[in-house]
Amino acid sequence: MLATARRAGSKAKRVSRSQNRPIVAVRCLGNAGGGHRWPPERQGPFPVTELPLTGKYSNALAIAIKNSGLYDWYTNAMGYRRYGLLLDDLQVENVDVQLALARLPPEVLSDRDERHKKALMCYSGKRELPLEEHTKPEDDKPYLGPYLDMVVAERMSREAFRSK
C-alpha cells in the first residue's frame, strides 16, 4: 500500500507504508507533462511503474537510465560543462563533503578551486567558456566519490559504535 497526497499540484513524497522507503514513479512514454499530473483520462495507454529508490531496483534504474541516453542528455542539459566544471564540483558542501574535501590531495583541491573561480567569472559576466574549453564527457570523472565513501563509512561506524 502506498501513502500519498492526491491533491492537484501536491508535491508530497510517496512512501511505502510497509517498508518506509521512498518510491519513484516512472512514467513510460505516455505523460509528456514534465512532472504535471494529467487527469486519468488523458494519461495515455502507458502505465506508471513504481520502483523503490533503494535496493536492487535503484541499481537497475540507474543502469537503465545510463544505457538509454537519458543520462547523457540530462548532464548536457544541466549546463555545468559549459563553464568547465565537473559533476563532483556541484556537490552540496555538507559536513561529509567538507571532510572528504579535506582529504583530497592539494593539487586536486586547487584544480577544483580554479574551476570554481573560472565558472563564477564566466557566470557573473553572462558568458560561457569557448567550445574547446568545455568539459568533455570523457573528462568528467568522479574524483570526490572514494573519499566521500570513506567519510560516510567512518561516520556510520562511529554512529553504530556510539549507539551500543
Side-chain angles (χ1 to χ4, degrees):
M1 285 180 35
L2 294 174
T4 182
R6 292 289 181 191
R7 292 190 328 244
S10 175
K11 301 235 182 208
K13 186 184 275 189
R14 301 178 79 170
V15 178
S16 169
R17 285 186 186 154
S18 60
Q19 290 115 358
N20 272 342
R21 296 187 301 188
I23 299 289
V24 62
V26 178
R27 177 138 340 259
C28 304
L29 302 175
N31 187 0
H36 176 73
R37 286 195 176 271
W38 292 95
E41 63 273 5
R42 294 192 57 206
Q43 285 187 1
F46 302 103
V48 174
T49 305
E50 294 180 348
L51 301 172
L53 288 175
T54 57
K56 63 181 179 181
Y57 295 110
S58 65
N59 194 20
L61 184 62
I63 291 170
I65 289 172
K66 277 261 195 192
N67 292 338
S68 70
L70 182 64
Y71 178 78
D72 294 331
W73 173 83
Y74 183 70
T75 53
N76 287 330
M78 285 174 66
Y80 66 90
R81 291 179 178 166
R82 292 181 291 206
Y83 295 103
L85 294 171
L86 301 176
L87 185 60
D88 278 353
D89 294 337
L90 305 178
Q91 288 273 354
V92 176
E93 289 194 20
N94 57 20
V95 176
D96 292 337
V97 173
Q98 287 176 352
L99 290 172
L101 287 172
R103 294 181 181 193
L104 282 175
E107 59 274 359
V108 175
L109 191 58
S110 66
D111 290 345
R112 180 180 193 271
D113 291 339
E114 289 298 319
R115 285 191 301 273
H116 277 194
K117 286 179 194 174
K118 190 188 302 185
L120 285 172
M121 292 301 294
C122 289
Y123 187 76
S124 64
K126 296 183 180 170
R127 62 181 176 84
E128 294 175 0
L129 289 173
L131 189 59
E132 55 273 356
E133 292 185 37
H134 287 194
T135 302
K136 299 186 181 35
E138 58 271 6
D139 296 336
D140 194 3
K141 302 278 188 255
Y143 63 90
L144 194 58
Y147 297 100
L148 191 57
D149 291 341
M150 285 192 306
V151 167
V152 170
E154 289 173 4
R155 180 177 50 82
M156 297 296 277
S157 67
R158 273 195 307 271
E159 288 174 359
F161 180 73
R162 288 181 185 156
S163 67
K164 290 183 180 182

